[in-house]
Amino acid sequence: MDLPSVIEAIDRGQLDPVYFLVGAERFWIDRAIEALRRRIDEARTGFNVEVFDGPSASASGILNAARTLPMFGTHRLVLV
């Protein structure tokens, strides 16, 4: 599926459990991440978004974040 289609699906509320966004078009990747942020952290609390720096992140830290239940929402966003 191309990134514009992924963004449209996210905006409609059709969320998949995992997204792997990769490619040369950084513009579309940034748009997809912003769509996910809008959908998941609707209250703008920041409680359901966690960001890791890939090279310095530990696998256990990422997995713990992914297993944490969302606060005041139905989804969590873990960006690596």
Side-chain angles (χ1 to χ4, degrees):
M1 184 181 283
D2 64 341
L3 283 173
S5 299
V6 169
I7 295 166
E8 289 174 13
I10 293 167
D11 287 339
R12 288 191 307 269
Q14 298 171 330
L15 296 175
D16 290 327
V18 175
Y19 290 92
F20 184 72
L21 305 173
V22 63
E25 291 288 334
R26 188 66 202 184
F27 171 78
W28 288 111
I29 292 173
D30 290 342
R31 298 261 325 251
I33 291 170
E34 183 54 36
L36 284 166
R37 283 181 182 268
R38 276 194 316 270
R39 177 60 60 181
I40 290 171
D41 196 24
E42 293 174 351
R44 299 286 186 233
T45 60
F47 290 126
N48 293 320
V49 177
E50 197 155 349
V51 180
F52 291 90
D53 180 42
S56 65
S58 69
S60 62
I62 295 167
L63 287 173
N64 285 337
R67 291 178 179 149
T68 302
L69 294 174
M71 292 183 66
F72 311 113
T74 58
H75 296 85
R76 279 184 55 78
L77 177 61
V78 180
L79 292 171
V80 182

